[in-house]
Amino acid sequence: LEAYARHPHKFDLVITDMTMPKFTGLAIARAMLALRPEQPIILCTGYSEQVKSQGDIAGIRDLLEKPVSKPRLATAVRQTLDEAPAANAD
């Protein structure tokens, strides 16, 4: 998050996991979207129903349920990048 905050436009795509040691994927996504609202973010989770029930996935372009197959991940990345607005240089 520190590296992202310094140069948010250097990131074409963020893929994060819901469960991490210090932050949740939603917390990371919220912080990134506050800095750059158009940032494409994919969230991976083993608890998709729990995440959906929080009603807080606005801004997240795709929600991948673990385990994620390589073809599913590749499709999500390609679609997310294709749908994302062009990034501005910092």
Side-chain angles (χ1 to χ4, degrees):
L1 186 54
E2 290 173 16
Y4 184 87
R6 284 191 300 274
H7 303 285
H9 292 285
K10 291 193 180 239
F11 293 80
D12 294 324
L13 173 68
V14 173
I15 301 174
T16 187
D17 194 86
M18 181 59 183
T19 306
M20 296 182 290
K22 295 183 181 183
F23 301 99
T24 67
L26 287 175
I28 292 289
R30 277 190 221 110
M32 290 178 169
L33 292 167
L35 294 169
R36 185 175 161 211
E38 76 281 4
Q39 176 64 64
I41 299 175
I42 296 174
L43 178 66
C44 301
T45 182
Y47 308 99
S48 64
E49 291 307 315
Q50 180 182 358
V51 173
K52 288 176 188 174
S53 71
Q54 291 183 27
D56 192 0
I57 58 173
I60 294 175
R61 306 293 173 89
D62 207 342
L63 180 65
L64 301 181
E65 195 168 333
K66 295 188 295 184
V68 180
S69 68
K70 288 178 189 176
R72 174 68 177 107
L73 177 60
T75 298
V77 168
R78 179 75 275 148
Q79 287 178 341
T80 300
L81 290 174
D82 287 348
E83 294 169 3
N88 298 326
D90 231 3

